């Protein structure tokens, strides 16, 4: 409580006409430096220093910049000469209230400064995310030969932690040693925290082991470091040592352990063990621990335990409600069952109890809306943000961007993104990921470039999304540049970056680089294995893909739905019917994973390629996915391969009934008739497309050479080197015709299909030993497939051609698909 005189002075500062005082205030550096010099001499009225200091402390505590400025105005108006202690309080107030311009103005006019002055300014810049400015102030403090203290070094190390700058952190570590602070447990803790957050957990552990004096913060910092890098076993080992050494367990340590255990496979065992510790130390009613226990159980599907713990809480606060809401939303992505609706109901309970939602509440609820396609409900929730003044929050902005992205409203997402005044890296990442999710890959790269131009530091999730955009655009050179950026930033050791690299190289057609990346990764998860298995499957290396899957099982890494999709794709592309059915049954029985329409489509494709079209049709009718056009289209493609016109016609009618505007079904039927010489039926199919307004997607092929992407359509003559391309193509066709090649169709444009033009440009511009990698948006035709095999032999070149289904790797006159495609 403020005394009456304090209230009077604050009231006076609010009531006074600020036109003159604040005119004076805006020029306060000159006033303080010339008229009211800061002095270390004892003030005339010592009680005034304490009086103004208490007022400034109140302004700082309540983050009231208006009151703080009012106190400053009164100091100037009273012509009072403040001591250094009071000026430091004033400086701290400006820093804590976020007015860094005024803080630096005040700092510059101070003739005498101590470590507290420098620490306040460093902390202020760090608090606002201006890490470069914070480090510059630290450098100035050293250059000014100020006797800086342990808090100065700790602030600088905190900046390195937040910007994940290991190199600068090591330099400051050296300065700590030189300054004689290396044995102070306070700084040891800061160093352990810095190394942990920068990914060098080994150095953090070495510091910990070498220190003679440790406290509970030291143990908690090391535990948090292992939690951050996902090393569950080491986390539990350190926790066990901490317990055996008699270190008192607190909510922070137990909270970190709970977070770590939530990532462990044997969550039930470890959850019960930690649960016992929680009860033993009497923290079972602690809201922080309660939210951690709920998060532990909910994250791993033990929903009944999470609900039981939630109901046992005597008076759950907003944090506990948030954990339960987030738990329902998280489980929705794993097991479905409408759990996100339960999250929305729990939000209603909060409102009925009159609880004030936090930004994390709104974020979880908006994400729940995304999962249940509750777009309209999400927009209603967005309306409540204005009631609680959260409309400009970056965290909620990210959730809204995800909501709009999931609903396909990328323009609304961009509008939301630009409406957030202070876009943090999470907001940028959400927007870039949303663009990737909606296949706006060029926009994703454009946003990433804008992010770098603004001087912001991308995190590993940003880089992962951008590498995914490069993978889908198959711009390997750009992707490699981003990979170099990730390595320079120290992110290359993270599993998510390794996974993105595997995917990027695989999509670019470089299966060797994808395999090498996988083998060099220190930590692999199910996504890593799935990506490298899928890479081999798409490149026609079916046996290699299955060997990798068996190795994955031997290492006790649990496969997921994506893994089995990659395995079934390998079986399909390799013609391994028996193996395919064996893995399909294993997925259901051994791993309790329900097959999706994509898994079933792989089995249909597997049977269809093997010529068992009747079995494939019966399988579709038994799956329960007989209303999905994707699975029928897979059978239609097989009917074309085997020339089963009658079944193909019947299947095509079914697909057109389910998806009347999809051009691919008409094109498959048209080509089937054309392949079997049924020209009149082919023309009728084309007329049907015109009648229904269905337009065929134009064939497009592209190749990346240097920093430029060259694209072609059939018969394209717009390229600057068009004359050289057609001359080289004529020369190459002449060579393969002598080897017996003839155009297998009646269409003369086959000789200038887009993939042929792109490959020829690669022949002209790329070195002899460089593989030619061409991407195509439609499936490669038989004629081009035959021509590519012969081109690879006559030109002694490796050609990699990617279509929407798979990769074809042509070397020495043969293709990796073994002509089984």
């Amino acid at each position: 409580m403020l005394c009456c005189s304090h209230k009077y002075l604050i009231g006076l500062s609010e009531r006074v006409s600020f036109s003159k005082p604040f005119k004076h205030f805006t020029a306060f550096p000159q006033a303080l430096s010339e008229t009211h010099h800061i002095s270390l001499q004892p003030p005339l009225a010592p009680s005034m220093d304490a009086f103004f200091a208490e007022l400034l402390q109140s302004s700082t505590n309540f983050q009231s910049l208006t009151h703080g400025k009012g106190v400053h105005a009164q100091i100037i108006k009273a012509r009072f000469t403040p001591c250094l202690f009071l000026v430091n309080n004033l400086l701290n107030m400006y820093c804590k209230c976020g007015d860094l311009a005024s803080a630096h103005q005040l700092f510059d006019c101070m003739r005498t400064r101590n470590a507290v002055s420098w620490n306040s300014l460093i902390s202020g810049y760090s608090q606002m995310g201006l890490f470069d400015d914070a480090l510059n102030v630290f450098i100035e403090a050293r250059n000014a030969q100020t006797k800086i203290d342990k808090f100065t070094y700790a602030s600088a190390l905190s900046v390195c932690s937040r910007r994940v700058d290991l190199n600068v952190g090591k330099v400051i570590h050296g300065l700590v040693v030189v300054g004689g602070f290396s044995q102070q447990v306070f700084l040891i803790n800061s160093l352990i925290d810095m190394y942990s957050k920068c990914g060098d957990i080994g150095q953090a552990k070495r510091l910990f082991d070498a220190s003679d004096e440790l406290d509970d913060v030291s143990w908690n910092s090391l535990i948090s470091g292992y939690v951050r890098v996902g090393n569950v076993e080491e986390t539990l080992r350190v926790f066990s040592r901490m317990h055996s050494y008699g270190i008192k367990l607190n909510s922070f340590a137990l909270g970190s352990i709970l977070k770590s255990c939530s990532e462990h496979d044997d969550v039930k065992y470890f959850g019960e063990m930690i649960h016992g510790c929680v009860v033993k130390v009497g923290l079972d009613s602690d809201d922080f621990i309660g939210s951690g226990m709920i998060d532990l159980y909910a994250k791993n599907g033990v929903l009944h335990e999470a609900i039981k713990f939630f109901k046992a809480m005597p008076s759950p606060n907003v944090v506990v409600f948030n954990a339960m809401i987030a738990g329902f939303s998280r489980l929705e992505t794993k097991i479905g069952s409408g759990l996100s609706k339960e999250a929305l109901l729990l939000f209603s309970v909060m409102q009925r109890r009159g609880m004030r939602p936090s930004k994390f509440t709104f974020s979880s609820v908006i994400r729940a809306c995304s999962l249940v396609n509750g777009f309209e409900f999400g927009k209603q929730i967005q309306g409540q943000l204005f009631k609680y003044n959260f409309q400009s929050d970056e965290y909620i902005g990210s959730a809204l961007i995800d909501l709009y992205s999931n609903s396909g409203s990328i323009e609304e997402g961009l509008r939301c993104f630009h409406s957030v005044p202070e876009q943090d890296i999470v907001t940028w990442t959400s927007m870039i990921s949303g663009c990737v999710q909606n296949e706006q890959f060029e926009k994703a790269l454009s946003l990433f470039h804008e992010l770098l131009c603004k001087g912001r530091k991308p995190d590993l999730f940003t880089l992962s999304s951008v590498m995914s955009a490069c993978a889908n655009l198959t711009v390997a050179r750009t992707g490699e540049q981003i990979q170099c950026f990730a390595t320079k930033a120290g992110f290359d050791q993270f599993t998510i970056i390794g996974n993105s690299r595997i995917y990027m190289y695989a999509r670019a057609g470089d299966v060797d680089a994808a395999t090498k990346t996988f083998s060099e990764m220190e930590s692999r998860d199910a996504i890593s294995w799935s990506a490298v298995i899928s890479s081999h499957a798409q490149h026609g290396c079916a046996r290699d893909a299955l060997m990798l899957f068996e190795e994955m099982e031997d290492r006790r890494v649990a496969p997921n739905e994506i893994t089995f999709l990659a395995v079934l794709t390998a079986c399909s592309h390799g013609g391994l019917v028996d193996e395919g059915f064996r893995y399909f049954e294993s997925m259901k029985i051994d791993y309790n994973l329900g097959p999706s329409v994509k898994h079933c489509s792989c089995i249909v494709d597997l049977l269809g390629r093997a010529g068992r079209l009747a079995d494939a049709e019966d399988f579709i009718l038994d799956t329960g996915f007989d209303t999905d056009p994707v699975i029928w289209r897979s059978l239609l493609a097989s009917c074309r391969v085997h020339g089963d016109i009658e079944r193909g016609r019947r299947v095509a009618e079914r697909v057109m009934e389910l998806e009347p505007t999809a051009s691919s079904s008409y094109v498959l039927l048209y080509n089937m008739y054309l392949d079997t010489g049924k020209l009149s039926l082919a023309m009728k199919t084309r007329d049907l497309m015109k009648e229904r307004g269905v337009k065929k997607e134009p064939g497009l092929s592209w190749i990346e050479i240097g920093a430029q992407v060259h694209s072609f359509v059939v018969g394209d003559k717009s390229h600057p080197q068009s004359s050289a391309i057609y001359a080289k193509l004529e020369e190459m066709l002449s060579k393969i015709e002598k080897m017996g090649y003839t155009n297998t169709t009646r269409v003369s444009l086959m000789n200038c299909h887009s993939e042929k033009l792109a490959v020829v440009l690669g022949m002209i511009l790329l070195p002899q030993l460089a593989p030619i990698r061409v991407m195509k948006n439609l499936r490669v035709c038989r004629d081009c497939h035959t021509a590519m095999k012969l081109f690879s032999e006559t030109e002694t070149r490796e050609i990699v051609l990617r279509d929407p289904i798979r990769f074809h790797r042509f070397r020495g006159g043969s293709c990796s698909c073994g002509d089984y495609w």
Side-chain angles (χ1 to χ4, degrees), residues 50-311:
F51 173 71
F52 282 124
E54 187 176 347
L55 288 176
L56 288 171
Q57 188 60 50
S58 297
S59 303
T60 304
N61 292 339
F62 288 101
Q63 301 254 315
S64 175
L65 182 61
T66 303
H67 283 175
K69 284 183 175 180
V71 175
H72 190 179
Q74 292 303 316
I75 293 172
I76 296 172
K77 190 175 181 181
R79 296 186 176 276
F80 175 67
T81 303
C83 68
L84 183 58
F85 170 76
L86 181 58
V87 178
N88 280 339
N89 270 273
L90 187 59
L91 180 65
N92 184 57
M93 182 275 296
Y94 280 119
C95 289
K96 291 290 175 62
C97 292
D99 189 353
L100 270 300
S102 297
H104 215 130
Q105 254 187 320
L106 175 62
F107 183 84
D108 287 341
C109 77
M110 292 171 65
R111 290 192 174 182
T112 305
R113 304 162 182 152
N114 61 6
V116 175
S117 316
W118 293 97
N119 295 348
S120 295
L121 199 57
I122 294 171
S123 178
Y125 278 120
S126 178
Q127 175 186 311
M128 296 295 293
L130 302 171
F131 303 128
D132 290 339
D133 292 318
L135 286 178
N136 287 336
V137 173
F138 173 75
I139 293 169
E140 285 180 36
R142 284 192 49 81
N143 292 339
Q145 296 184 337
T146 303
K147 189 177 180 181
I148 56 180
D149 57 17
K150 61 182 180 180
F151 301 105
T152 320
Y153 287 114
S155 296
L157 288 169
S158 175
V159 170
C160 296
S161 300
R162 295 183 65 185
R163 63 185 285 181
V164 196
D165 195 333
L166 182 60
N167 293 330
V168 175
K170 287 180 177 179
V171 172
I172 295 173
H173 185 182
L175 295 175
V176 168
V177 174
V178 171
F181 294 102
S182 59
Q183 295 304 313
Q184 292 203 12
V185 68
F186 178 77
L187 281 177
I188 290 170
N189 294 340
S190 295
L191 285 165
I192 291 171
D193 181 69
M194 183 274 294
Y195 280 115
S196 298
K197 288 179 178 175
C198 291
D200 193 349
I201 191 65
Q203 180 60 27
K205 180 66 163 55
R206 285 188 288 274
L207 262 175
F208 181 88
D209 291 339
S211 300
D212 297 328
E213 185 180 353
L214 297 170
D215 58 14
D216 58 339
V217 177
S218 315
W219 289 90
N220 291 336
S221 298
L222 188 62
I223 287 173
S224 298
Y226 280 118
V227 170
R228 188 172 290 106
V229 298
N231 192 330
V232 180
E233 286 74 15
E234 198 61 37
T235 302
L236 295 173
R237 192 174 293 117
V238 174
F239 176 70
S240 178
R241 282 179 60 198
M242 178 181 181
H243 187 54
S244 64
Y245 283 12
I247 306 295
K248 184 180 179 181
L249 299 178
N250 55 28
S251 59
F252 185 84
L254 286 167
S256 295
I257 293 298
L258 286 171
K259 183 177 180 182
S260 180
C261 287
S262 66
E263 307 295 336
H264 201 280
D265 294 335
D266 198 357
V267 65
K268 184 171 176 58
Y269 169 74
F270 286 110
E272 290 174 351
M273 182 182 73
I274 301 301
H275 197 159
C277 288
V278 167
V279 174
K280 186 176 179 180
V281 298
L283 291 172
D284 48 320
S285 298
D286 183 88
D287 289 331
F288 179 72
I289 296 298
S291 62
M293 288 300 306
I294 292 169
D295 184 66
L296 167 71
Y297 287 127
K299 188 178 286 185
N300 291 274
V302 193
L303 185 59
H304 63 282
E305 290 291 344
I307 295 173
K308 188 189 301 183
F309 205 97
F310 176 76
K311 289 182 176 180

Side-chain angles (χ1 to χ4, degrees), residues 82 232 351 363 380 576 643:
V232 180
Q351 291 185 307
S363 175
Q380 294 177 26
L576 308 174

Side-chain angles (χ1 to χ4, degrees), residues 127-129 131 162 359-360 363 367 392-399 401 416-432 447 451 454-459 462:
Q127 175 186 311
M128 296 295 293
F131 303 128
R162 295 183 65 185
K359 63 179 182 180
F360 302 107
S363 175
R367 295 191 195 283
S392 300
D393 184 82
E394 301 92 336
Y395 195 71
I396 293 175
S398 298
I401 291 168
C416 180
F417 171 76
H418 290 302
S419 70
V420 177
E422 292 292 335
Q423 297 146 338
D424 63 4
I425 196 60
V426 177
T427 314
W428 280 95
T429 303
S430 294
M431 194 66 253
I432 291 171
L447 281 169
L451 168 72
K454 289 180 178 291
R456 305 301 299 270
K457 301 290 184 183
D459 63 13
T462 321

Side-chain angles (χ1 to χ4, degrees), residues 427-539:
T427 314
W428 280 95
T429 303
S430 294
M431 194 66 253
I432 291 171
S433 298
C435 290
V436 173
Q437 179 183 335
N438 286 274
E439 298 185 356
Q440 295 197 18
F441 307 120
E442 292 90 345
K443 182 62 179 175
L445 291 178
S446 175
L447 281 169
F448 180 68
H449 182 260
E450 185 181 343
L451 168 72
L452 295 179
C453 289
K454 289 180 178 291
R456 305 301 299 270
K457 301 290 184 183
D459 63 13
L460 69 165
F461 301 105
T462 321
L463 294 171
S464 176
S465 295
V466 176
M467 288 171 73
S468 179
C470 294
N472 284 282
L473 288 172
T474 59
V475 283
R477 183 175 177 82
T478 304
E480 286 172 352
Q481 291 175 343
I482 293 169
Q483 164 56 29
C484 291
F485 186 97
T487 302
K488 186 177 179 181
F491 292 136
D492 56 324
Q493 61 190 311
F494 289 95
T495 303
I496 187 175
I497 294 295
N499 294 343
S500 298
R501 283 181 66 189
I502 294 171
Y503 179 66
M504 181 185 72
Y505 285 128
R507 292 284 292 176
D510 195 345
V511 67
D512 295 332
T515 305
K516 183 180 179 183
T517 300
F518 175 79
S519 63
E520 291 175 348
M521 290 174 64
E522 294 182 7
S523 177
R524 305 165 185 159
D525 57 13
I527 298 173
S528 318
W529 287 94
S530 301
V532 75
I533 291 169
S534 178
S535 174
H536 283 81
Q538 295 292 335
H539 284 81

